[in-house]
Amino acid sequence: MIDAVVVGAAGYTGAELTRLIAQHPGMRLRAVTSTADAGVRVSDLYPALSSVDLAYVEPDVDAIARDAEVAFLAVPHTAAMGLVPRLLDAGVRVVDLSADFRFRDAALYERWYGAFHVAPALLDEAVYGLPEVSRRGIAEARLVACPGCYPTAALIAAVPALEDGVALPGRVVVDAKSGVSGAGRSPSPGTHFVTANESLQAYKVAAHRHAPEIAAGLEIAAGAKVALTFVPHLVPMTRGLLATVYMEARDGLTQAEAWDVYSRRYAGEPFVTVHSSGRMPSTAEVRGANRAHVGVQLDEGSRTLVVTAAIDNLVKGAAGQAVQCANIMCGFCETDGLDGLAPAV
Amino acid sequence: MIDAVVVGAAGYTGAELTRLIAQHPGMRLRAVTSTADAGVRVSDLYPALSSVDLAYVEPDVDAIARDAEVAFLAVPHTAAMGLVPRLLDAGVRVVDLSADFRFRDAALYERWYGAFHVAPALLDEAVYGLPEVSRRGIAEARLVACPGCYPTAALIAAVPALEDGVALPGRVVVDAKSGVSGAGRSPSPGTHFVTANESLQAYKVAAHRHAPEIAAGLEIAAGAKVALTFVPHLVPMTRGLLATVYMEARDGLTQAEAWDVYSRRYAGEPFVTVHSSGRMPSTAEVRGANRAHVGVQLDEGSRTLVVTAAIDNLVKGAAGQAVQCANIMCGFCETDGLDGLAPAV
Amino acid sequence: MIDAVVVGAAGYTGAELTRLIAQHPGMRLRAVTSTADAGVRVSDLYPALSSVDLAYVEPDVDAIARDAEVAFLAVPHTAAMGLVPRLLDAGVRVVDLSADFRFRDAALYERWYGAFHVAPALLDEAVYGLPEVSRRGIAEARLVACPGCYPTAALIAAVPALEDGVALPGRVVVDAKSGVSGAGRSPSPGTHFVTANESLQAYKVAAHRHAPEIAAGLEIAAGAKVALTFVPHLVPMTRGLLATVYMEARDGLTQAEAWDVYSRRYAGEPFVTVHSSGRMPSTAEVRGANRAHVGVQLDEGSRTLVVTAAIDNLVKGAAGQAVQCANIMCGFCETDGLDGLAPAV
Amino acid sequence: MIDAVVVGAAGYTGAELTRLIAQHPGMRLRAVTSTADAGVRVSDLYPALSSVDLAYVEPDVDAIARDAEVAFLAVPHTAAMGLVPRLLDAGVRVVDLSADFRFRDAALYERWYGAFHVAPALLDEAVYGLPEVSRRGIAEARLVACPGCYPTAALIAAVPALEDGVALPGRVVVDAKSGVSGAGRSPSPGTHFVTANESLQAYKVAAHRHAPEIAAGLEIAAGAKVALTFVPHLVPMTRGLLATVYMEARDGLTQAEAWDVYSRRYAGEPFVTVHSSGRMPSTAEVRGANRAHVGVQLDEGSRTLVVTAAIDNLVKGAAGQAVQCANIMCGFCETDGLDGLAPAV
């Protein structure tokens, strides 16, 4: 059994981490921290977690270093980079779900997140936690920087075509749609039920912080510059994220070839399903599960390759993927604690 | 490993049975039957069940008898009573989720379900599958008749007070609210998204078939006649069922005593949580989980005891409870395959 | 044209008042006040109100008295009672949507609202603004106290049977269900989309402030004491409120008689529809409209009369009813500005 | 008063036409036809339309020709083209909401709709019913072919930039999202609440019949060929449609210029609002209203102009726009019967 601590456990991602680790066959959940909710029992804040017999404690880096073999950081950006060096020094493996170590380039981080980076020396060491792209690096990492929810879906949808060359680098449009849990637990006018329900809206057009992260992943896959347009939308559902990706098809590409590229690329992946040719996934299929379902369709008329990827933003887009990374880092079977199916309906 | 077959597996309850049994540590899912969807792969009908490598087959009683040690019947009423005698004769244990064996009295069945009962000799043998009330009988049963979704929640809410006598038999009101999955998979005007969404409505007032089933359970608990009024409502959500039960409080009853009755009654139950005094459960807390969460509040002014019970209508209200009964019948740990928590949000 | 001002116009009820008055053929909307949003344009806060060419202003009682012939107060309780005497003194007619003038008895107000009443002398003069019950008084009133949303539906459902005597005073259960807009515009954990969506919960059992208001109305109708149990529930929809009322039926009452009582009682009412015998209304039918739809069903077995009433909590339960009262007070046709039908779906 | 008949009035679009015409100050609703629901009262099928005192009648072209000065056809494609010639011959003005007269080219119609066109001679005469583009033609038309819901939003979003030249013809992506009412009233697996709720999915990628209609409109605006990719999505809400349009920006284009093009283009339009620069509309803002709200944002990094347009698919996307066209054809004020605001929330 490996001892785990969740730092920042009272938010939605932290709560899902709590659920997954509490049920993990190889991990023991030693502590859950929260500054705002210290002293509150987990099952009082999240009655669904009725069998989790813990209360939130104030985060204390020494205590975490002492208790944890692996630490999951579900804290806001800027809060993680202060903790990470001290945890690594203490020999703790770190799975960071914040944005602090997602970029190689501190300047890019500082431009988009408006904060100085206090641990730039670790940016080179950190491995991007998208196992379908960087599994090998994760296995050897001390520090994994888990992708954002939008980048997870966008890259799973786009990478195979760009790597293979069936889609051209150049203009790529990622039109993404997320359920409201992606906005986090803090109540706000935009997450009020009355505002979000029965409504649909684009937001942060050309200004969302996940854009440079997606662009970086696309460019690695393509080996070339990509002109990305990323537009996220808020959708009236609790969970679920769909990325619809539009890429310019290579001359002569057929639907059968395009589908084949995806089918082969993800053949061995335990958590990715490529639907039969032309069939599109729904977010409901993956609700609560650590899965990505992918659909591939070439638009012959406009020579555009359309790929959609559906994930649960809190699981494959956050907590589940973090556990998947930890499984790889710690030598567990990659699917341990993550093989639950989504409810049938 | 015990071999299981799900008969009528293509409906919502059947699909949830498929999910739970496919993940059960002690059961092997040998076959799933469906008349309408024979030949279709499970994962094509329910993409969430991506890892279930089976196709639906026509139901054939000889094949079921050969393949199954335990058979789960998720077929409509009247369809089950023809199958059950032949399966029992073949030595198969049967968990019937239909209404066919819920009543002791064939005449009552015939009045409410409008059909002759073809196996009345088995009505006495069948055990009502509500483990919190009849666990001992289930352990020894060949045939378990699982409760309807509304009776499950209503009885969990009402039984402790009536058994103990803190609530008086007499007038009991059960105002129940269900998500739309309770209406089943067949598309109809009433289950169209546009009809059901953003709407709320009582239906089958004083005419729902679960009323006599609830009344029977209340009367056993109270040891006396009960004048039940049962009104179900359709609520715009996929899953979840809440029963709000109103009972006349015994003279002198206090909130502390009432809560104590529930707390003690359910202290050892693995799947029932009684919330702290006065706190009411939400259906979201139990979504996807085989759990019932209960809240207890005495209205001092009107001397009415109000108890609410929240369940997932497809799990504790159907498929999960059926697996719970099968665990008891087959000698498994009662929680095997059922310990998944609801998502935190 | 009569000049109107909405005080406290930035909340949901205030916004619906703004919409209705802006489209009213006989009223001119002179000002909308808001302390928190002073200076903001109405159409910036509520883009749906795109054609309302006003900005919120700080509430100033002298300005209101100068501008308004009729003032609508959509402020929280305790805020209204300070304004009302000064507005009445200035000759302004007042439609108060707060709770401040709903009770005859200042002590009852003080017990439930936890505040001293600063204008008790006006409690006798204020007329309860439920036109289906007190139309004549409203016509002559200077001050109308509009009912809460729950009392509106509960009383419309219960009053005819209690007045007529087909239901007995005694135990009355009101199980009510409201959409989330009833909780108001302030973001909170309970109104977060992720909390409220796909969930259902009873709240403030035996402790909701609308209980004494409902009880008072029932007792006036029955001419006797009533033991009311009132349990509100939060339902995952934006608008809509359904009250399900359970009353003890008079001996010998038939369904036909019960239905007839309601049908006759509401025959001339412009905003109440009694559905054909046994048919139950949905909240969607009245969405956005100033209407109440009523269904009546006697449960023969338990001798309980079940009546459900569906309203839009923000319209017939708040803003629409206020305009209806103002129409009566000001001598307009009662349906002026209120004849819009709900969308067909 | 002008006499109107709605043909095919029992579907969702027909029901909204019924509502709008019943409340229109200049139209008298003479008849509503339905083959499937003949004999049923409107208020029984749609309880929201409680004050509409009509029953559906079998469609009879002679009766329609006799009763109607203007006929609204809300029938499926292929059903309209048989009726239109006979109605025009009888001197009836026709507003056709089907696809039968939307294309100039019968071959294009036949390819996408799989049916021979029986009235190709009228294709040249029919005017496309998007007043913001073809108001003048509508004013003189006998026959107006109303756009589909997706084309309405897509063209309102794209036309100004293509007409003006601030966006280049070439690759245009229209990623559109619709509420479930767009799928029509017939119950089906895809419109079942349990399927559609809490889910999101692309469908008919590169295969939706609205694609050629959108392409035709874009090409007229651009005066050049356009390579359109159109992907519709189903969103878990009843009403509302958002089109997110991606166009290649002209060299040197600034955000201020782009916004200015839209602001000027729609300055006089009674039903179109261009939000302040960079602000994006939500579908809730226009729910139930005959409005389109537009947001404009240049993505400087990728030189892509992103424009979103929000409409109510059943109003500006169908019934409301049809009434708007009829107002223009009949010489009414264009906003007659259409000035209702969306509910504030």
Side-chain angles (χ1 to χ4, degrees):
Chain A
M1 296 294 276
I2 281 190
D3 287 336
V5 170
V6 178
V7 184
Y12 292 154
T13 295
E16 283 291 86
L17 280 165
T18 301
R19 173 175 71 94
L20 291 170
I21 297 169
Q23 300 185 108
H24 194 287
M27 294 189 197
R28 186 166 32 214
L29 182 59
R30 290 292 303 272
V32 288
T33 84
S34 167
T35 302
D37 292 293
V40 177
R41 297 199 61 75
V42 170
S43 59
D44 282 340
L45 195 59
Y46 291 102
L49 306 182
S50 50
S51 62
V52 176
D53 191 18
L54 289 170
Y56 297 102
V57 296
E58 289 278 358
D60 173 87
V61 72
D62 295 322
I64 300 166
R66 191 185 60 230
D67 289 346
E69 294 170 84
V70 58
F72 296 87
L73 308 189
V75 294
H77 62 271
T78 74
M81 59 187 168
L83 293 169
V84 166
R86 297 170 65 185
L87 293 172
L88 292 180
D89 285 351
V92 178
R93 288 192 182 92
V94 177
V95 181
D96 178 20
L97 290 90
S98 87
D100 285 357
F101 295 93
R102 291 181 190 158
F103 295 98
R104 283 285 151 104
D105 178 357
L108 190 62
Y109 174 84
E110 291 170 0
R111 183 155 72 250
W112 281 89
Y113 287 85
F116 284 103
H117 205 293
V118 302
L122 289 168
L123 291 175
D124 259 351
E125 180 184 345
V127 178
Y128 193 62
L130 189 61
E132 291 75 12
V133 166
S134 47
R135 181 173 284 111
R136 207 162 310 169
I138 295 167
E140 294 158 11
R142 293 192 306 163
L143 170 59
V144 165
C146 283
C149 51
Y150 286 122
T152 296
L155 294 177
I156 286 174
V159 159
L162 292 172
E163 274 183 359
D164 184 276
V166 292
L168 308 180
R171 305 180 80 82
V172 173
V173 169
V174 175
D175 185 293
K177 300 95 176 165
S178 174
V180 183
S181 60
R185 183 182 151 217
S186 294
S188 71
T191 60
H192 195 300
F193 184 87
V194 170
T195 311
N197 185 41
E198 287 290 292
S199 196
L200 177 65
Q201 187 167 24
Y203 70 100
K204 292 192 187 164
V205 175
H208 195 286
R209 286 162 166 170
H210 286 176
E213 188 184 334
I214 296 170
L218 298 178
E219 295 184 349
I220 291 169
K225 271 284 176 201
V226 169
L228 168 71
T229 308
F230 171 58
V231 178
H233 298 74
L234 201 64
V235 175
M237 57 190 192
T238 295
R239 289 158 163 259
L241 189 159
L242 187 79
T244 308
V245 179
Y246 301 83
M247 295 172 282
E248 200 173 333
R250 196 199 59 205
D251 276 357
L253 178 69
T254 65
Q255 168 67 11
E257 281 176 277
W259 183 81
D260 196 53
V261 166
Y262 279 80
S263 179
R264 279 185 289 107
R265 176 66 168 80
Y266 289 131
E269 285 297 337
F271 295 119
V272 182
T273 293
V274 179
H275 277 316
S276 55
S277 183
R279 181 172 176 179
M280 293 289 139
S282 74
T283 59
E285 309 172 9
V286 295
R287 185 183 175 113
N290 190 56
R291 305 197 56 78
H293 286 191
V294 176
V296 179
Q297 180 65 54
L298 176 67
D299 182 350
E300 300 273 6
S302 65
R303 301 299 305 158
T304 298
L305 181 60
V306 180
V307 185
T308 72
I311 62 171
D312 183 317
N313 54 302
L314 294 179
V315 188
K316 183 61 181 166
Q321 185 149 266
V323 171
Q324 185 183 354
C325 289
N327 282 345
I328 297 170
M329 294 167 86
C330 299
F332 291 121
C333 172
E334 191 168 330
T335 58
D336 276 1
L338 295 173
D339 44 11
L341 293 169
V345 294
Chain B
M1 296 293 277
I2 281 190
D3 288 336
V5 170
V6 179
V7 184
Y12 292 154
T13 294
E16 283 291 85
L17 279 165
T18 301
R19 174 175 70 93
L20 292 171
I21 298 170
Q23 300 185 107
H24 194 286
M27 293 189 197
R28 186 167 30 214
L29 182 58
R30 290 292 302 274
V32 288
T33 83
S34 167
T35 303
D37 291 294
V40 177
R41 297 199 62 74
V42 170
S43 59
D44 282 340
L45 195 59
Y46 291 102
L49 306 182
S50 52
S51 62
V52 176
D53 191 19
L54 288 171
Y56 297 103
V57 295
E58 289 278 357
D60 174 87
V61 72
D62 294 323
I64 300 167
R66 191 186 60 230
D67 289 347
E69 293 170 84
V70 59
F72 296 87
L73 309 188
V75 293
H77 63 271
T78 74
M81 59 187 167
L83 292 170
V84 165
R86 298 171 65 187
L87 293 172
L88 293 181
D89 285 351
V92 179
R93 287 192 184 93
V94 177
V95 181
D96 178 21
L97 290 89
S98 87
D100 285 358
F101 295 92
R102 291 181 191 158
F103 296 97
R104 282 285 149 106
D105 178 359
L108 190 63
Y109 174 85
E110 291 170 0
R111 183 156 72 251
W112 281 89
Y113 287 86
F116 284 104
H117 205 292
V118 302
L122 290 168
L123 290 175
D124 259 350
E125 179 184 344
V127 178
Y128 193 62
L130 189 61
E132 290 75 13
V133 166
S134 48
R135 181 173 284 111
R136 208 161 310 169
I138 295 168
E140 294 159 10
R142 294 192 304 163
L143 170 60
V144 165
C146 282
C149 50
Y150 286 122
T152 295
L155 294 176
I156 286 174
V159 159
L162 292 173
E163 273 182 359
D164 184 275
V166 292
L168 308 180
R171 305 179 79 82
V172 173
V173 169
V174 176
D175 186 293
K177 301 94 176 164
S178 173
V180 183
S181 60
R185 183 182 151 218
S186 294
S188 71
T191 60
H192 195 300
F193 184 88
V194 169
T195 311
N197 185 42
E198 288 289 291
S199 195
L200 177 64
Q201 186 167 24
Y203 69 101
K204 292 191 186 165
V205 175
H208 195 285
R209 286 162 165 169
H210 287 175
E213 188 184 334
I214 296 170
L218 298 178
E219 295 184 350
I220 291 169
K225 271 284 175 201
V226 170
L228 168 70
T229 308
F230 171 57
V231 179
H233 299 74
L234 200 64
V235 175
M237 58 188 193
T238 295
R239 288 158 164 259
L241 189 157
L242 187 80
T244 308
V245 179
Y246 301 84
M247 295 173 282
E248 201 172 332
R250 196 199 58 206
D251 276 356
L253 178 69
T254 65
Q255 168 66 12
E257 281 175 276
W259 183 82
D260 196 53
V261 166
Y262 280 79
S263 179
R264 281 186 288 106
R265 177 65 169 79
Y266 290 131
E269 286 296 337
F271 296 118
V272 182
T273 293
V274 178
H275 278 316
S276 55
S277 184
R279 180 172 175 180
M280 293 290 139
S282 74
T283 59
E285 311 172 7
V286 296
R287 185 184 176 112
N290 189 55
R291 304 197 57 76
H293 287 192
V294 176
V296 179
Q297 179 64 55
L298 177 68
D299 181 350
E300 300 273 5
S302 65
R303 300 299 305 157
T304 298
L305 181 59
V306 181
V307 185
T308 71
I311 62 172
D312 183 317
N313 55 302
L314 293 178
V315 188
K316 183 62 180 165
Q321 185 149 266
V323 171
Q324 185 183 355
C325 289
N327 283 344
I328 297 170
M329 294 166 87
C330 299
F332 292 121
C333 172
E334 191 168 329
T335 58
D336 275 1
L338 294 173
D339 44 11
L341 294 169
V345 294
Chain C
M1 296 293 276
I2 281 189
D3 288 334
V5 170
V6 179
V7 183
Y12 293 155
T13 295
E16 283 290 85
L17 279 165
T18 302
R19 174 175 70 94
L20 291 170
I21 297 170
Q23 300 185 107
H24 193 287
M27 294 189 196
R28 185 167 32 215
L29 182 58
R30 290 292 301 273
V32 287
T33 83
S34 166
T35 303
D37 292 293
V40 177
R41 297 199 61 75
V42 170
S43 60
D44 283 339
L45 195 59
Y46 291 102
L49 306 182
S50 52
S51 62
V52 176
D53 190 19
L54 288 170
Y56 298 102
V57 296
E58 290 278 358
D60 174 86
V61 71
D62 294 324
I64 300 166
R66 192 186 59 230
D67 288 347
E69 293 170 84
V70 60
F72 296 87
L73 308 189
V75 293
H77 64 270
T78 74
M81 59 187 167
L83 292 170
V84 165
R86 298 170 65 187
L87 293 172
L88 292 181
D89 285 352
V92 178
R93 288 192 184 94
V94 177
V95 181
D96 178 20
L97 290 90
S98 86
D100 285 357
F101 296 93
R102 291 180 191 160
F103 296 97
R104 282 285 150 104
D105 178 356
L108 190 62
Y109 174 85
E110 291 170 2
R111 182 154 74 250
W112 281 88
Y113 287 86
F116 285 103
H117 204 293
V118 303
L122 290 169
L123 290 174
D124 259 351
E125 180 184 345
V127 178
Y128 194 61
L130 188 61
E132 291 74 14
V133 166
S134 48
R135 181 172 285 111
R136 207 162 310 169
I138 295 167
E140 293 159 11
R142 293 193 304 163
L143 169 60
V144 165
C146 283
C149 50
Y150 286 122
T152 296
L155 295 176
I156 287 174
V159 159
L162 293 172
E163 275 182 357
D164 184 276
V166 291
L168 308 181
R171 304 179 79 83
V172 173
V173 169
V174 175
D175 185 294
K177 300 96 176 164
S178 174
V180 184
S181 60
R185 182 183 152 217
S186 294
S188 71
T191 60
H192 194 301
F193 184 87
V194 169
T195 311
N197 186 41
E198 287 289 293
S199 196
L200 178 63
Q201 186 167 24
Y203 70 100
K204 292 191 187 164
V205 175
H208 194 286
R209 286 163 167 169
H210 286 174
E213 188 184 335
I214 297 170
L218 297 178
E219 295 184 349
I220 291 169
K225 270 285 174 201
V226 170
L228 168 70
T229 308
F230 170 57
V231 178
H233 299 74
L234 200 64
V235 176
M237 58 189 193
T238 295
R239 289 159 163 257
L241 190 158
L242 187 80
T244 308
V245 179
Y246 300 85
M247 296 172 281
E248 200 173 333
R250 197 199 59 207
D251 277 356
L253 178 69
T254 65
Q255 167 67 11
E257 281 175 275
W259 183 81
D260 196 53
V261 166
Y262 279 80
S263 179
R264 279 185 290 107
R265 176 65 169 80
Y266 290 130
E269 286 297 336
F271 295 118
V272 182
T273 293
V274 178
H275 277 317
S276 55
S277 183
R279 180 172 176 179
M280 293 289 140
S282 73
T283 59
E285 307 171 11
V286 295
R287 185 184 175 111
N290 189 57
R291 305 196 57 77
H293 287 191
V294 177
V296 179
Q297 179 65 53
L298 176 67
D299 181 351
E300 300 273 5
S302 65
R303 302 299 306 158
T304 298
L305 182 59
V306 181
V307 185
T308 72
I311 62 171
D312 183 317
N313 55 302
L314 294 178
V315 188
K316 183 61 180 165
Q321 185 149 265
V323 171
Q324 184 183 355
C325 289
N327 283 345
I328 298 170
M329 294 166 87
C330 298
F332 291 121
C333 173
E334 192 169 329
T335 58
D336 276 0
L338 295 172
D339 45 11
L341 293 170
V345 296
Chain D
M1 296 293 276
I2 281 189
D3 288 336
V5 170
V6 179
V7 184
Y12 293 154
T13 295
E16 283 290 86
L17 280 165
T18 301
R19 174 175 70 95
L20 292 171
I21 297 169
Q23 300 185 107
H24 194 288
M27 294 189 197
R28 186 167 32 213
L29 181 59
R30 291 292 302 273
V32 288
T33 84
S34 166
T35 302
D37 291 294
V40 177
R41 296 200 63 75
V42 169
S43 60
D44 283 339
L45 195 59
Y46 291 102
L49 306 182
S50 51
S51 62
V52 176
D53 190 19
L54 288 171
Y56 297 102
V57 295
E58 290 277 357
D60 174 87
V61 71
D62 294 324
I64 300 166
R66 191 186 59 230
D67 288 347
E69 293 170 83
V70 58
F72 295 87
L73 309 188
V75 293
H77 63 271
T78 74
M81 60 187 165
L83 293 169
V84 166
R86 297 170 65 187
L87 293 172
L88 292 181
D89 286 351
V92 179
R93 287 192 184 94
V94 177
V95 181
D96 178 20
L97 289 90
S98 86
D100 286 357
F101 296 92
R102 291 181 190 158
F103 296 97
R104 282 285 150 103
D105 177 358
L108 190 63
Y109 174 84
E110 292 170 0
R111 183 155 72 250
W112 280 88
Y113 287 86
F116 285 103
H117 205 293
V118 302
L122 289 169
L123 291 174
D124 259 351
E125 180 184 346
V127 178
Y128 194 61
L130 188 61
E132 291 75 12
V133 166
S134 48
R135 181 173 284 112
R136 207 161 311 167
I138 296 166
E140 293 159 11
R142 293 193 303 164
L143 170 60
V144 165
C146 283
C149 50
Y150 285 122
T152 295
L155 295 176
I156 286 174
V159 158
L162 292 173
E163 275 182 358
D164 184 276
V166 291
L168 308 180
R171 304 179 80 82
V172 173
V173 169
V174 176
D175 186 294
K177 300 94 176 166
S178 174
V180 183
S181 60
R185 183 183 151 218
S186 293
S188 70
T191 60
H192 194 301
F193 184 87
V194 170
T195 312
N197 186 41
E198 287 289 293
S199 196
L200 178 64
Q201 186 167 25
Y203 69 101
K204 292 191 186 164
V205 175
H208 195 285
R209 285 162 166 170
H210 287 175
E213 188 184 333
I214 297 171
L218 298 178
E219 294 184 350
I220 291 168
K225 270 286 175 200
V226 170
L228 168 71
T229 307
F230 171 58
V231 178
H233 299 74
L234 201 64
V235 175
M237 58 189 192
T238 295
R239 288 158 164 257
L241 190 158
L242 187 80
T244 308
V245 179
Y246 301 84
M247 295 172 282
E248 200 173 334
R250 197 199 58 206
D251 278 356
L253 179 69
T254 65
Q255 168 66 11
E257 281 175 276
W259 183 81
D260 197 53
V261 166
Y262 280 80
S263 179
R264 280 186 288 106
R265 176 66 168 79
Y266 289 130
E269 286 297 337
F271 296 117
V272 182
T273 293
V274 178
H275 277 318
S276 56
S277 184
R279 180 172 176 180
M280 293 290 140
S282 74
T283 58
E285 308 171 11
V286 295
R287 184 184 175 112
N290 190 56
R291 306 196 56 77
H293 286 192
V294 177
V296 180
Q297 180 65 53
L298 177 68
D299 181 350
E300 299 274 6
S302 65
R303 301 298 304 157
T304 298
L305 182 60
V306 181
V307 185
T308 71
I311 63 172
D312 182 316
N313 55 302
L314 293 179
V315 187
K316 183 60 181 167
Q321 185 149 266
V323 171
Q324 185 183 355
C325 288
N327 282 345
I328 298 169
M329 294 166 87
C330 298
F332 292 121
C333 173
E334 192 169 331
T335 58
D336 275 1
L338 295 172
D339 45 11
L341 292 170
V345 295

